[in-house]
Amino acid sequence: MEVTQLEDDEIVNKKKSELKRQGADAFSKEDYLNASVFYTQALKVDQFDATLFSNRSLCWLRLGDGKKALLDAIECKHLRPNWGKAYYRQGAALMSLEDYSSAYDAFSHGLELDPESEEMEKMLWEAMDLK
């Protein structure tokens, strides 16, 4: 029984990895819509992968859908609350929605988790200027 479970897990992991790779390939070609589709399919395989939510959030952001980007960023943050990138994604989505005060808070918290992030610091200052 355990061997079967291990084999099933391996198949699931391979499928998720393949979908994630296809999403990354589409993203690198600036095909953000198809990239989001691949990440969505991968999330059907593993709904607890914060990286997939982070990646799909960026796709939505590039497609100009700040609301969907924010929803995925929030889910990412719930799954990995100590990951600075989750707060970066949330802040970027909030910036696109012109909620600069909340974006500032997200970037500020993200910088506490990842104080070396120059991009996060840059966005923090931009949010502060705009709020």
Side-chain angles (χ1 to χ4, degrees), residues 84 87-96 99-131:
Y87 291 88
Y88 181 82
R89 292 283 189 252
Q90 183 179 12
L94 289 163
M95 291 286 285
S96 78
D99 184 351
Y100 304 118
S101 181
S102 297
Y104 175 86
D105 293 341
F107 291 132
S108 179
H109 193 85
L111 267 176
E112 289 175 19
L113 297 169
D114 185 7
E116 302 297 316
S117 175
E118 293 176 14
E119 183 63 24
M120 189 130 37
E121 184 175 358
K122 176 183 168 223
M123 294 300 290
L124 174 83
W125 287 108
E126 186 176 330
M128 188 169 72
D129 287 344
L130 291 168
K131 74 175 193 170

Side-chain angles (χ1 to χ4, degrees), residues 6 21 23 28 39 62 88 92 122:
L6 289 173
R21 185 196 59 75
S28 71
Y39 293 135
R62 297 283 171 90
Y88 181 82
K122 176 183 168 223

Side-chain angles (χ1 to χ4, degrees), residues 25-45:
D25 288 348
F27 188 90
S28 71
K29 295 174 185 167
E30 299 181 9
D31 185 358
Y32 306 121
L33 185 58
N34 276 324
S36 72
V37 169
F38 287 120
Y39 293 135
T40 298
Q41 291 300 313
L43 281 163
K44 289 179 181 178
V45 175

